[in-house]
Amino acid sequence: MKKTLLGIITIFMLLTGCTGNAKPKENSNFITLDQALKEAAIRIDERLAAGTKIAPLNFNSPHDKFSVYVLDELTANLVDTRKLTVVDRKEVELIRKEFHFQFSGEVGDDSMQELGRMLGAQAIISGSLTDMGGFQRIVIRVLNVQSASIEVQYRANISNDKVVAALLTGGKKEVTNVPPKQTPPSGNNPSAQSSGGGTVVASTPPPTTTITTTTTTTTTTTIPLPTYKIGDKGPAGGIIFYDKGNKSDGWQYLEAAPASTEFKDIQWSVDSGSVEGKPGIGDGKKNTEAIVDYSLQTGKSMPAARLCKRLKYGGYDDWFLPSKVELGLMYLNLKEAEIGGFSGNWYWSSTQSGGDRAWAQRFSDGAQDDSIWYGGRNGDKNNKYSVRACRQF
């Protein structure tokens, strides 16, 4: 009896001792949020081909502050490796504002694919955060824009530490890390911009050009190139309505032609015909060239694009009909700021959506439509709308 009792006591002590000293096994699997984002960036960098253009687009979490932090850190980590081409967050924000798209909400793959195509991206980053009680589960994935297939997926359990708690504080609110419109300027000097969380981002130093003069000796003089803000008068006498922040692909700014050049009561196309046109930033010029070439080859009349192409103003002849998104930026950054003398009428873009349809935008309220099946047949190419040309430089 004593031996039995002693055995029971021994087993009880062993059990209570193990329970008191044991650490939860799952704790060993917890990492910090920053560690998870670094690991995710490394995996993305390893799995995607060099030069792939990728856009950090959406992260579903309870708070926009958390989502913006995740996307910002992923962007920074991917930019540091210099293997992939990461879409500028300013461009992502402009698209987000245009289509009322939140960084933290649940967004379908189809919608993200469309936004990715508008940004010219080959892949997009999305993800989610799930509260598991004592810890958080983070999932990051990379979606191929063309095929919708998942190229990369990363999962990790992260600690509920002070950083995570701070980022999840408060309810969901609208992201304001980059303003939807850039404030019209008082001059041409660069200024600091505010980004999410109150961080101040210093403006990029103005680009320079070098002129070399040779006499008996060689001297080099550095002359800064002019910089512009939204609302400034452009080199052709128009109005600046977009700045992508750097001069890539030969241009940095978009300039809208002045009100005196605006065409009214113009049809997109008199004759039926399909010309493929893309919707994104930087696509308007290519769209216009394609439309004009098609018109010349077929003999079909497409006056909206041809009028812009033929425009000569301010010593420049490189004007074009803006794409769907470029037209939206013209409305957001000029019409809403009451700059540029725009009417409240419908305006044509160079982005078609079918043989008989093209995208147009109403400048009284910013609505965009390509429909000919309901309402007032707003996207019918035979409709007569206003046309405002623009140029890139």
Side-chain angles (χ1 to χ4, degrees):
M1 180 68 179
K2 290 182 179 180
K3 289 182 179 181
T4 302
L5 181 61
L6 181 60
I8 293 172
I9 293 172
T10 302
I11 293 171
F12 176 78
M13 291 178 65
L14 287 171
L15 288 173
T16 55
C18 290
T19 303
N21 296 327
K23 296 180 180 179
K25 292 182 179 180
E26 61 268 27
N27 283 349
S28 61
N29 296 324
F30 294 167
I31 59 176
T32 67
L33 175 59
D34 286 345
Q35 286 174 324
L37 297 178
K38 286 180 181 178
E39 289 181 1
I42 290 171
R43 182 170 298 182
I44 293 169
D45 204 58
E46 290 174 344
R47 301 283 177 88
L48 297 184
T52 299
K53 190 171 184 180
I54 188 168
L57 200 58
N58 172 254
F59 188 87
N60 186 16
S61 79
H63 201 301
D64 283 334
K65 185 165 58 174
F66 190 100
S67 299
V68 170
Y69 182 87
V70 168
L71 295 174
D72 280 343
E73 287 299 305
L74 280 172
T75 298
N77 290 334
L78 290 170
V79 168
D80 284 346
T81 65
R82 300 186 179 184
K83 178 185 174 182
L84 307 177
T85 302
V86 185
V87 174
D88 190 333
R89 282 292 302 280
K90 288 182 181 179
E91 292 193 43
V92 176
E93 177 65 16
L94 287 168
I95 295 292
R96 190 189 72 81
K97 288 293 184 182
E98 175 70 16
F99 294 96
H100 308 291
F101 168 77
Q102 286 192 326
F103 284 128
S104 62
E106 293 185 8
V107 182
D109 287 350
D110 290 344
S111 297
M112 286 195 290
Q113 278 182 272
E114 180 62 25
L115 291 169
R117 280 191 285 266
M118 290 180 184
L119 291 162
Q122 297 164 289
I124 53 179
I125 298 176
S126 67
S128 63
L129 185 75
T130 304
D131 188 346
M132 305 299 291
F135 62 94
Q136 303 284 341
R137 167 66 63 87
I138 189 171
V139 178
I140 305 290
R141 65 175 187 159
V142 175
L143 192 74
N144 185 293
V145 170
Q146 295 302 321
S147 66
S149 61
I150 297 175
E151 301 282 341
V152 184
Q153 183 155 300
Y154 170 85
R155 298 184 300 273
N157 296 332
I158 61 173
S159 306
N160 279 325
D161 56 19
K162 292 181 180 179
V163 173
V164 170
L167 291 172
L168 292 176
T169 300
K172 183 173 291 189
K173 59 183 179 181
E174 179 68 14
V175 180
T176 56
N177 61 307
V178 181
K181 295 185 291 182
Q182 301 178 45
T183 304
S186 57
N188 286 339
N189 295 324
S191 63
Q193 294 181 338
S194 176
S195 65
T199 303
V200 175
V201 181
S203 59
T204 304
T208 61
T209 187
T210 300
I211 298 176
T212 303
T213 305
T214 304
T215 54
T216 55
T217 60
T218 300
T219 59
T220 300
T221 304
T222 299
I223 302 174
L225 294 175
T227 58
Y228 300 87
K229 293 181 182 178
I230 303 305
D232 275 350
K233 184 177 181 179
I239 311 145
I240 305 300
F241 68 94
Y242 175 67
D243 172 14
K244 67 178 178 179
N246 58 80
K247 193 165 187 176
S248 57
D249 299 325
W251 68 279
Q252 178 173 344
Y253 303 98
L254 288 175
E255 175 183 16
S260 61
T261 69
E262 184 170 299
F263 304 101
K264 300 183 185 301
D265 299 325
I266 303 299
Q267 292 172 290
W268 199 97
S269 178
V270 176
D271 305 302
S272 179
S274 181
V275 185
E276 182 178 358
K278 296 182 179 180
I281 299 170
D283 290 331
K285 186 174 183 178
K286 295 176 183 178
N287 291 347
T288 300
E289 290 172 351
I291 294 166
V292 171
D293 287 344
Y294 178 85
S295 176
L296 292 173
Q297 291 170 10
T298 62
K300 294 183 177 181
S301 178
M302 297 183 170
R306 294 192 67 175
L307 285 170
C308 292
K309 181 68 175 176
R310 291 203 302 262
L311 177 64
K312 294 182 180 180
Y313 186 85
Y316 292 85
D317 61 358
D318 56 350
W319 302 92
F320 56 87
L321 186 63
S323 71
K324 177 176 179 282
V325 175
E326 289 168 344
L327 186 64
L329 292 171
M330 196 182 292
Y331 168 79
L332 285 173
N333 290 331
L334 297 184
K335 177 61 171 67
E336 284 199 342
E338 299 182 350
I339 300 173
F342 292 89
S343 70
N345 299 332
W346 285 92
Y347 284 75
W348 281 122
S349 81
S350 60
T351 306
Q352 77 152 30
S353 59
D356 297 313
R357 293 177 293 158
W359 283 95
Q361 180 155 0
R362 187 167 56 201
F363 270 48
S364 60
D365 59 3
Q368 289 190 329
D369 198 0
D370 70 331
S371 173
I372 62 172
W373 310 116
Y374 64 91
R377 297 171 62 89
N378 296 324
D380 191 328
K381 289 179 178 178
N382 289 319
N383 286 346
K384 294 182 178 181
Y385 295 152
S386 296
V387 172
R388 182 72 72 96
C390 65
R391 62 182 293 270
Q392 59 189 36
F393 68 95

